[in-house]
Amino acid sequence: MTERPADATPTANGGMPGAADGSTDHEPAGRLRATGETVAAFIRRVPLSIGLAVLLVITAALTGTIAGSVSESTAQLWAAGVTTTIDAARWWTVATALVIPFDPFQLVFGVLAALVLLGVAERRLGTARAALAFVVTGVVGVALGTGLQWIGSLAGEWWATGTSADLTLDPLTGVVGALITATAFMGALWRRRVRLVTLAVILVFVLYDGDSSNAYRLIAAMTGYVLGALLARDPSTLRARRSSHRETRTLVAVIVAVTGIGPIVALITRSDLTPFAFGSYLYAEDPLEFDTVVAQCDATATALSGDCLKQAAILSSQGFGMFLLSFVPVLLLLLAAWGLRSGRRFAWWLAIAVNLAVLLFARSSLDVTITTADVEDGTWTVFDIGELIVWILAVLALPVGVIVMLVATRRHFRLGAPHEAYLRFLATVVVSLLVLGGTYLVIGLATIDEYWPVAGPIDVVVDTIKRFVPPHFLAVVDPIVLPGHDLASVAFQAAGPLFWGIFIAASLRMLRASDSRSRFADHRRIRDLLQRHGGGTLGFMATWPGNSYWFGADGDSAVAYRVINGVAITMSDPICAPGSAGRVIREFAAACDANSWVPVFYSVHSQYLPVFEELGWQHMSVGEETLVRTAGLELTGKPWQKVRQALNRGIKEGMTTVWTSWDELPRATVAEITAISEEWVADKELPEMGFTLGGMEELKDPDVRLMLAIGPDGRIQAVTSWLPVHRDGRVIGWTIDFMRRADGSMNGIMEFLIASAALHMKAEGAEVLSLSGAPLATKPLAAGEEAPEPTVMTRLLEFLARTLEPAYGFSSLFRFKAKFNPDYETISMAYPDPLALPAIGVAIGRAYLPEVSPREAVALARTLTR
């Protein structure tokens, strides 16, 4: 990271130093805030959060919950619930429940939540509005939740009746409500993240735990959702905003992971008040003894009933192996979430499969709950049956919702694995299943006389299948048989966990599988060739993901390309030694012909056009590259007036710049850049473009440099990325790629940042700064130059430029770049067959817009037809 004193301070008249005395301009260099400085600044701005944390400690000390659970007398006086808030008319409990912790654990968690979560809310809302949000959402959550419990208990509803005696002390209710309120004041990135993750966590506890406090938190969160829009006076905060591919993958992965941990919550809480509690009753606090159960229940495998069925189900689910097997769905969903974050298609299928399994076994899972939890007493009313249907629908809703989400976002998960990896995975899974299943079956048949209840060969075969299914899915499905022989008991416990352990290990290998070795070698060769031969000002784009590489027979030349619909589109100029371009172009064209591809050289510079003309190819302009010569650069004179004004204004307002790389950034800065980018994506209904336009992933290359504009408050106002241009093993220039500005940033911030970058490059001895290509642009005519006669192709390009302008603003971008007084260099597309132009156009369109959702396509069409 480059840090130099900010010696470019404004003069008395607000101009740049040297504007009057002839000295040279300087980059207004600064530095980034360290993570410790960011944390310290955060603490100074959250007095409400610190006050609540201190209050919780005081109330815990006064009520005794600092050392143990709340006493009955304290709960009756200060805790909220049907019996206190409504029956005893202690209305103040809806407020006092928000500031007294229930026990030491909640005290610790409440203090942390106050400092972190409420602190975030306070930073966004301000102290007064954060206090308002905490009180309003907390009181509404507790009061409305208690009222619904009271009404439900009068009607005999299961959950309300079971929790009507609960007394709640929960500071988290107000904290959660304030946090969701604050999301209306956040950028699109963190608004979406906080809302989705918070809601997912709360729903998991509501469905798998069922405690009253979870329902209160859910109501508080929904109240905060509305309150935030009212305080912000912006109903648009209630709308969902689009996100980038990377962010969508992250959010989907988080939701899959959060919903996956639900069974752990059910196992810990063991509540019979939620539709997702099945399976938690299989693990009795006092394990059953095999001999005792056999003595009490002497029956056949198909004749178990009543209490004996319950005891047999619990006994069949005991043991360390069955305990591990119960967590297989959790582990598989966490594994799928890990792969989804990287865009893996295998992880997508795995998440779909696990949720389909939950649906498939939903009926038998409910039987497990009814049998082992004793929720069926034989008297079912019409109300009970109706509520049972509601609970069953709730059981189905979560996996169905996850599946719908995965299907809707499937285009974000296209990263596959080599064909050999799939074959290896399939062979590993099938062989291990056959070996382990066969081993248990053989042992079971050999010791069949020692099974209880009395079992036949078919019973052992069916039980072999059950060994690989988590017990909370099939524990009460006939036949229930238990091995009496020690060897059979070991196989009974070990077969399932061993198989799924092998499955998970094989899945991990699948999620990591790629042709990375060959890709790494190819990428290394490309980088070496770029450093030697350059590849032009756009050459570094050859290193981006999605490209394939052709290497010349001499080993000293290469072409980066991607094949779409049988068209091989190159990424700018061939990478080769001077004088070898003709041979390289011919060899690559021959390689394409051998593969029945149509070769297209895209964004090539004018020095290569004679080669294509010799080959009889056609070529056409596809844009203009704008180049600034940094050697001897002076921002003087009228042509530089607009740029100089932006630079002077930035310095006057205390703006500084930092020249750095991604790996050198503090975590807080990484988060800021990510948020700025996501906000930019969210504000556009149109699809993201790729191919020659890089995004967040391309910023992370260690050879790429970032130029950041830092405001006087230490926050990032704008960011640009710069691709190196090499020649003879050294960097001789930089090409701009990524440009983003924060909302509310200074007018002219991009001019300020690019001018600062140009001054930095000049100081470092760079020769050229490329502002990259302006698609479908035409360079201005020189004085006295006449425009060429229009052709069919030039008319087509002009039409495309006018049509796409409302959507992507290519002309506006070209005019912006013209402020930097650049030299213009035409970039062209060369192709062998004019009849292939329709296919080439479609292929280039798909290269720039590889993933367009129906919604984005409609938005694009609507924009183009305005």
Side-chain angles (χ1 to χ4, degrees):
M1 184 187 304
T2 301
E3 298 181 8
R4 292 196 301 277
D7 53 356
T9 53
T11 59
N13 62 3
M16 279 291 297
D21 60 12
S23 62
T24 58
D25 299 319
H26 296 280
E27 169 204 358
R31 70 178 186 90
L32 297 172
R33 290 191 299 180
T35 303
E37 293 176 297
T38 303
V39 173
F42 176 85
I43 292 175
R44 287 194 297 269
R45 296 176 61 181
V46 289
L48 173 68
S49 306
I50 296 173
L52 178 61
V54 172
L55 179 61
L56 292 178
V57 174
I58 294 173
T59 57
L62 293 176
T63 58
T65 59
I66 196 170
S69 296
V70 65
S71 65
E72 179 65 21
S73 59
T74 299
Q76 288 293 331
L77 183 60
W78 303 113
V82 173
T83 58
T84 55
T85 307
I86 297 178
D87 293 344
R90 298 188 180 109
W91 52 267
W92 61 85
T93 55
V94 299
T96 56
L98 302 176
V99 293
I100 303 175
F102 189 87
D103 52 27
F105 173 79
Q106 195 179 80
L107 171 62
V108 173
F109 202 76
V111 168
L112 291 175
L115 293 176
V116 179
L117 301 183
L118 186 60
V120 170
E122 188 175 359
R123 279 289 305 274
R124 294 294 179 178
L125 291 168
T127 300
R129 284 188 296 198
L132 175 68
F134 177 84
V135 173
V136 170
T137 59
V139 169
V140 170
V142 175
L144 184 56
T146 304
L148 292 175
Q149 281 178 288
W150 177 64
I151 294 172
S153 64
L154 294 178
E157 193 273 334
W158 293 349
W159 176 82
T161 301
T163 60
S164 60
D166 287 357
L167 296 178
T168 299
L169 295 169
D170 182 39
L172 282 180
T173 300
V175 171
V176 167
L179 179 64
I180 296 300
T181 303
T183 58
F185 294 82
M186 296 179 182
L189 172 67
W190 287 104
R191 180 188 308 156
R192 182 170 50 241
R193 284 182 175 180
V194 172
R195 285 178 176 176
L196 285 178
V197 174
T198 303
L199 184 61
V201 171
I202 293 174
L203 282 176
V204 164
F205 275 87
V206 167
L207 294 172
Y208 284 93
D209 180 12
D211 187 75
S212 300
S213 60
N214 296 312
Y216 300 166
R217 292 167 194 162
L218 180 61
I219 297 171
M222 301 311 296
T223 304
Y225 186 68
V226 177
L227 179 62
L230 293 175
L231 291 178
R233 299 180 181 179
D234 183 7
S236 69
T237 61
L238 300 175
R239 278 202 325 265
R241 307 281 290 277
R242 69 185 300 271
S243 59
S244 65
H245 299 307
R246 177 177 176 272
E247 181 64 12
T248 300
R249 292 168 180 170
T250 299
L251 292 174
V252 169
V254 169
I255 292 172
V256 169
V258 169
T259 56
I261 64 174
I264 299 177
V265 176
L267 181 65
I268 294 172
T269 60
R270 299 189 64 181
S271 170
D272 60 352
L273 300 173
T274 75
F276 280 79
F278 49 72
S280 62
Y281 313 99
L282 291 172
Y283 309 104
E285 294 179 0
D286 298 318
L288 300 178
E289 294 293 336
F290 180 81
D291 293 336
T292 303
V293 175
V294 171
Q296 293 176 353
C297 307
D298 187 10
T300 63
T302 57
L304 291 174
S305 61
D307 191 57
C308 286
L309 176 61
K310 173 184 176 179
Q311 292 188 59
I314 294 175
L315 193 60
S316 69
S317 303
Q318 287 184 173
F320 189 64
M322 293 301 98
F323 182 78
L324 292 177
L325 194 59
S326 298
F327 290 96
V328 163
V330 178
L331 295 175
L332 292 180
L333 286 175
L334 292 177
L335 179 65
W338 180 69
L340 288 169
R341 190 174 181 274
S342 302
R344 289 284 184 169
R345 177 48 63 103
F346 177 80
W348 185 87
W349 280 111
L350 182 60
I352 290 280
V354 174
N355 281 281
L356 284 175
V358 173
L359 290 176
L360 179 65
F361 292 114
R363 178 67 181 84
S364 56
S365 298
L366 188 63
D367 287 341
V368 173
T369 301
I370 292 174
T371 301
T372 59
D374 294 328
V375 297
E376 181 179 8
D377 60 5
T379 58
W380 290 85
T381 66
V382 173
F383 185 86
D384 291 334
I385 295 173
E387 188 163 8
L388 178 62
I389 293 173
V390 172
W391 278 37
I392 292 173
L393 291 177
V395 170
L396 301 179
L398 189 61
V400 167
V402 173
I403 290 172
V404 170
M405 175 192 69
L406 289 168
V407 171
T409 58
R410 64 190 181 278
R411 66 191 181 96
H412 300 282
F413 307 100
R414 294 186 173 181
L415 185 58
H419 183 66
E420 307 78 39
Y422 284 101
L423 294 178
R424 183 172 59 246
F425 170 80
L426 186 61
T428 301
V429 170
V430 171
V431 170
S432 62
L433 180 63
L434 292 176
V435 169
L436 292 169
T439 300
Y440 176 75
L441 180 61
V442 169
I443 294 174
L445 292 174
T447 61
I448 194 170
D449 294 337
E450 299 186 46
Y451 272 80
W452 179 87
V454 177
I458 298 300
D459 296 327
V460 177
V461 171
V462 174
D463 191 60
T464 301
I465 298 173
K466 291 172 67 175
R467 291 311 92 226
F468 302 98
V469 181
H472 58 274
F473 285 160
L474 296 178
V476 298
V477 174
D478 291 332
I480 301 176
V481 292
L482 299 167
H485 193 279
D486 290 344
L487 183 60
S489 297
V490 171
F492 183 94
Q493 293 288 334
L498 282 176
F499 167 74
W500 287 110
I502 294 171
F503 182 94
I504 291 172
S507 298
L508 276 170
R509 192 173 181 184
M510 266 290 296
L511 292 173
R512 292 171 174 169
S514 66
D515 50 354
S516 56
R517 290 186 179 180
S518 60
R519 285 186 179 180
F520 179 80
D522 288 349
H523 275 85
R524 188 66 266 165
R525 289 182 66 185
I526 283 290
R527 288 177 186 270
D528 290 342
L529 290 173
L530 283 170
Q531 290 178 7
R532 288 204 302 271
H533 304 310
T537 48
L538 306 179
F540 194 80
M541 296 177 185
T543 64
W544 288 357
N547 290 324
S548 299
Y549 303 111
W550 170 89
F551 294 97
D554 61 354
D556 196 41
S557 56
V559 173
Y561 68 98
R562 55 187 69 189
V563 178
I564 301 174
N565 292 345
V567 178
I569 311 169
T570 71
M571 185 71 81
S572 194
D573 302 337
I575 305 169
C576 59
S580 301
R583 175 185 55 80
V584 172
I585 291 171
R586 289 181 174 86
E587 289 182 3
F588 177 74
C592 291
D593 184 59
N595 287 281
S596 298
W597 299 333
V598 177
V600 175
F601 277 81
Y602 190 79
S603 292
V604 292
H605 291 90
S606 56
Q607 64 263 37
Y608 300 101
L609 297 184
V611 177
F612 298 113
E613 292 170 354
E614 290 177 11
L615 292 172
W617 288 22
Q618 305 291 314
H619 59 80
M620 57 186 288
S621 168
V622 292
E624 296 289 335
E625 184 179 11
T626 46
L627 303 171
V628 177
R629 309 299 173 181
T630 53
L633 176 66
E634 298 292 343
L635 307 182
T636 56
K638 187 173 181 180
W640 287 100
Q641 183 176 355
K642 293 182 179 180
V643 174
R644 193 167 56 249
Q645 286 174 347
L647 188 61
N648 291 345
R649 179 182 178 183
I651 295 173
K652 184 183 297 183
E653 293 188 7
M655 303 287 295
T656 56
T657 59
V658 175
W659 178 262
T660 184
S661 66
W662 184 268
D663 291 339
E664 296 175 311
L665 297 177
R667 290 188 178 182
T669 305
V670 169
E672 279 191 80
I673 294 174
T674 303
I676 290 171
S677 180
E678 284 297 324
E679 189 73 29
W680 182 86
V681 172
D683 286 340
K684 298 182 180 299
E685 294 184 3
L686 303 176
E688 293 179 84
M689 298 185 76
F691 193 32
T692 61
L693 301 173
M696 285 290 294
E697 291 304 313
E698 285 71 30
L699 264 66
K700 301 174 184 178
D701 191 296
D703 291 333
V704 172
R705 293 294 177 266
L706 308 179
M707 178 64 92
L708 311 178
I710 312 298
D713 60 353
R715 301 184 65 84
I716 296 177
Q717 293 216 6
V719 55
T720 55
S721 73
W722 299 88
L723 313 178
V725 180
H726 293 91
R727 186 178 63 218
D728 298 330
R730 67 184 187 91
V731 176
I732 55 102
W734 300 89
T735 300
I736 198 169
D737 175 40
F738 184 93
M739 292 193 297
R740 298 285 190 274
R741 55 177 293 169
D743 287 343
S745 57
M746 180 191 80
N747 288 335
I749 188 65
M750 278 301 168
E751 290 90 335
F752 167 83
L753 194 54
I754 293 174
S756 299
L759 294 173
H760 174 86
M761 294 173 195
K762 171 188 173 183
E764 295 292 321
E767 299 176 10
V768 63
L769 177 156
S770 171
L771 293 174
S772 198
L776 303 177
T778 303
K779 63 183 176 182
L781 297 174
E785 184 181 1
E786 294 185 3
E789 288 294 324
T791 64
V792 174
M793 194 55 64
T794 57
R795 290 194 182 100
L796 174 61
L797 291 176
E798 290 173 359
F799 169 76
L800 288 175
R802 290 194 304 271
T803 304
L804 293 175
E805 177 62 23
Y808 292 105
F810 293 144
S811 298
S812 301
L813 180 63
F814 187 57
R815 289 194 298 271
F816 168 79
K817 294 178 179 181
K819 295 180 181 180
F820 297 90
N821 302 293
D823 297 333
Y824 297 96
E825 185 163 351
T826 302
I827 48 178
S828 302
M829 178 181 73
Y831 52 94
D833 184 2
L835 296 179
L837 271 177
I840 293 171
V842 171
I844 292 174
R846 285 195 59 192
Y848 275 109
L849 299 171
E851 299 173 340
V852 182
S853 67
R855 176 183 173 184
E856 291 170 337
V858 171
L860 177 59
R862 187 170 60 245
T863 302
L864 296 179
T865 54
R866 281 175 184 169

